[in-house]
Amino acid sequence: MKNSGYYWPETDGMWFDGISRDGSIDSIIDAFRLHGYELCNDGSLERQVQKIAIYVSRNGPEHVARQLGSGKWTSKLGEGIDAQHALSDLESDLYGKATIFMARPKSKKVKPRRKRPR
């Protein structure tokens, strides 16, 4: 999943093959499961885990934010606008409330081996 694109099921933008565009909570969850996320209890910071929060209003899912290593969250808020925020900063009638959380292990980055001097 690219961080630079805007994905949402009910728009004519990018979405995932084989995942419903019905805009349901299940379609959002299924899309993130494609990328290794599973449901978890909350948005607390865990060093070896990347988390997302799904904001839900009375109309269904409205927004998704991704947790940064600092514990803050990042979101696309319009075209070309990436914002860092606390979960509660976006809670409103427009975005709903962060109520569903998903997590996946952070990928292990392999450090290249240095050549030993001869």
Side-chain angles (χ1 to χ4, degrees):
M1 178 177 289
K2 296 179 182 177
N3 291 344
S4 59
Y6 178 78
Y7 291 79
W8 201 253
E10 294 178 313
T11 66
D12 56 354
M14 297 180 285
W15 195 237
F16 306 98
D17 289 339
I19 303 295
S20 173
R21 283 186 171 263
D22 67 1
S24 68
I25 291 170
D26 286 342
S27 68
I28 303 293
I29 290 171
D30 288 346
F32 280 94
R33 281 191 167 139
L34 279 177
H35 299 281
Y37 287 89
E38 292 297 331
L39 293 169
C40 66
N41 293 330
D42 58 39
S44 61
L45 181 62
E46 296 178 49
R47 293 287 173 209
Q48 298 304 315
V49 175
Q50 183 176 49
K51 291 187 177 181
I52 62 159
I54 302 171
Y55 287 76
V56 180
S57 75
R58 66 178 180 267
N59 299 320
E62 302 289 351
H63 183 72
V64 176
R66 180 176 49 87
Q67 191 175 45
L68 300 170
S70 65
K72 286 209 169 252
W73 295 79
T74 185
S75 293
K76 293 226 169 280
L77 300 176
E79 199 168 321
I81 301 172
D82 291 342
Q84 289 186 24
H85 55 85
L87 281 179
S88 60
D89 290 347
L90 297 185
E91 291 181 354
S92 64
D93 290 340
L94 178 63
Y95 290 112
K97 185 174 180 171
T99 57
I100 299 170
F101 298 91
M102 298 183 79
R104 70 177 178 187
K106 286 184 179 177
S107 59
K108 293 182 180 178
K109 294 181 181 174
V110 177
K111 292 182 180 178
R113 294 168 101 184
R114 289 185 172 187
K115 289 184 180 178
R116 293 183 186 180
R118 292 182 188 204

